[in-house]
Amino acid sequence: MKIFCVGRNYSEHAKELNNELPAEPVIFLKPKSALLLPNTPFYYPQFTNELHYEAELVLHISKNGKYIEEAQASKYYDNITVGIDFTARDVQRELQKKSLPWEKAKAWDNSALLGKWQLTTKELLQKSIEFSLQVNNQPVQNGNSSNMIFSFDQIVAEISQYFALNIGDLIYTGTPSGVGECVVGDVLSGYLGTEQVFKIEIK
């Protein structure tokens, strides 16, 4: 199982981190060990002093494929949820200064949180999909799929030009503005529309 992540897919988020808007999807990967399994506690990593949350819409791949056309891409995913791409921001900053890869800041064990799945019906995909994150019951991120620079189908098509997509793969489709720091004791709650799909405490 592969975890694909899309960076800088919301213009306001790119601006808040002083990044240029991409001309094509920015793709990076997390290993299977990055997935925080259900009913597993999340512990603040020892190697960072600046842990950030990044809430994202996540797609579940339901069909094997490669070189997928954008017009056919929606046939390759069947569920959606909200997840968190946890980021060691201080580590990422130092790596970027040296033009080094991001893995130590992004791909560590349990850095990918996943909420409860919801079916991606045709009716759902025809609408703008809203999602949000609360920290200690206070809203911190609000996103809408209509504000993505690259759509679900564009992302799936782009990834498949370089990597075979397999059943069970996950795609984190990018985070909106409002990313921020979380500390031990914080409780993070994710919502797909009005439905809570995850709740977790930083330990």
Side-chain angles (χ1 to χ4, degrees), residues 1-16:
M1 184 267 282
K2 302 180 291 297
I3 303 173
F4 298 98
C5 301
V6 182
R8 307 176 192 174
N9 200 24
Y10 290 79
S11 58
E12 292 304 313
H13 170 60
K15 291 176 185 176
E16 73 180 350

Side-chain angles (χ1 to χ4, degrees), residues 1-130:
M1 184 267 282
K2 302 180 291 297
I3 303 173
F4 298 98
C5 301
V6 182
R8 307 176 192 174
N9 200 24
Y10 290 79
S11 58
E12 292 304 313
H13 170 60
K15 291 176 185 176
E16 73 180 350
L17 295 185
N18 298 314
N19 291 320
E20 294 182 2
L21 295 182
E24 60 185 42
V26 177
I27 307 295
F28 62 96
L29 287 90
K30 290 176 182 266
K32 183 178 179 181
S33 57
L35 188 62
L36 182 68
L37 297 175
N39 303 314
T40 302
F42 178 86
Y43 293 100
Y44 197 107
Q46 294 182 344
F47 50 80
T48 180
N49 292 309
E50 192 179 352
L51 179 67
H52 277 207
Y53 52 77
E54 298 187 10
E56 316 197 6
L57 290 171
V58 185
L59 300 177
H60 175 268
I61 297 300
S62 59
K63 183 179 179 181
N64 297 333
K66 189 166 174 61
Y67 303 119
I68 300 166
E69 295 181 7
E70 184 180 331
Q72 303 298 317
S74 63
K75 297 177 181 178
Y76 288 81
Y77 54 90
D78 62 351
N79 282 274
I80 190 169
T81 190
V82 181
I84 294 182
D85 165 22
F86 282 108
T87 303
R89 191 70 71 199
D90 50 349
V91 176
Q92 184 185 38
R93 207 177 288 120
E94 289 304 310
L95 292 169
Q96 287 177 323
K97 285 179 184 177
K98 300 172 184 177
S99 299
L100 294 174
W102 289 352
E103 278 81 0
K104 287 166 67 175
K106 287 276 194 180
W108 34 275
D109 292 353
N110 298 335
S111 61
L113 184 150
L114 198 61
K116 183 172 61 177
W117 292 110
Q118 181 174 326
L119 282 172
T120 50
T121 62
K122 287 184 179 180
E123 292 75 21
L124 178 68
L125 294 175
Q126 287 172 351
K127 299 183 291 187
S128 298
I129 301 173
E130 295 183 353

